[in-house]
Amino acid sequence: MNETKIKLCGMFRPEDIGYVNEVQPDYVGFVLAEGFRRRILKEQAADFRKALDQAIPAVGVFVNNSCEEVISFLQEDIIQLAQLHGNETEEDIQYIQAVTGKPVMKAVKVTSRYDVEAWLDSSADYLLFDGGTGSGVAFDWSVLADIDRDFFLAGGLNAGNLMTAVERIHPYAVDLSSGVETDGVKDLKKMREVVKLVRECRYP
């Protein structure tokens, strides 16, 4: 039985939190880095966390933010897991873990098997393999064969290819953002559909 989890990322409207409270994904993501369309400010993230079902961990997405900023979000319990998408080093990961005692995920842009193997020994609690930084573009999943650690799979996932990804790659979790949107905003119907697909695969 496959135990793949699902993360829905890029919540940026109050109604998005209502949607995730209804569909109950395993993780919810907030974009906290400058320069991204779905970015929210710290005050918004704090309000969203209060409105979010307390049983759903919030993941903060950062791109070259300072370690101190990442730590502040974790220590204030606005997020429960940090996702690092920039040029953060192994030392940065270990520092954030040591100061907060909270899990850290390192995102890796995959162009070849080399990109994957370069991070397999990381002290990050999870790796996330993506075709870019929120690009919505899938990559060649065959480079993820025989990986012996937990990882999130992102990039171009939607209801049409989600089950292929789960059955072929067996990721710890799948991560969707644009794949559950219509005209640039979260679509409750699409969110329901992808969560249902993953749940059915997990509990046939």
Side-chain angles (χ1 to χ4, degrees), residues 106-122:
K106 182 68 180 85
V108 179
K109 181 178 178 179
V110 178
T111 59
S112 70
R113 177 72 181 195
Y114 175 81
D115 300 318
V116 175
E117 293 184 351
W119 282 95
L120 288 181
D121 292 330
S122 172

Side-chain angles (χ1 to χ4, degrees), residues 2 65-66 70-71 100 118 133 138 150 153 160 172 175 182 190-191 203:
N2 198 296
N65 301 62
S66 69
V70 176
I71 287 167
T100 66
T133 303
D150 288 342
L153 177 65
Y172 169 79
D175 190 340
T182 299
K190 289 182 178 179
M191 294 166 77
Y203 307 116

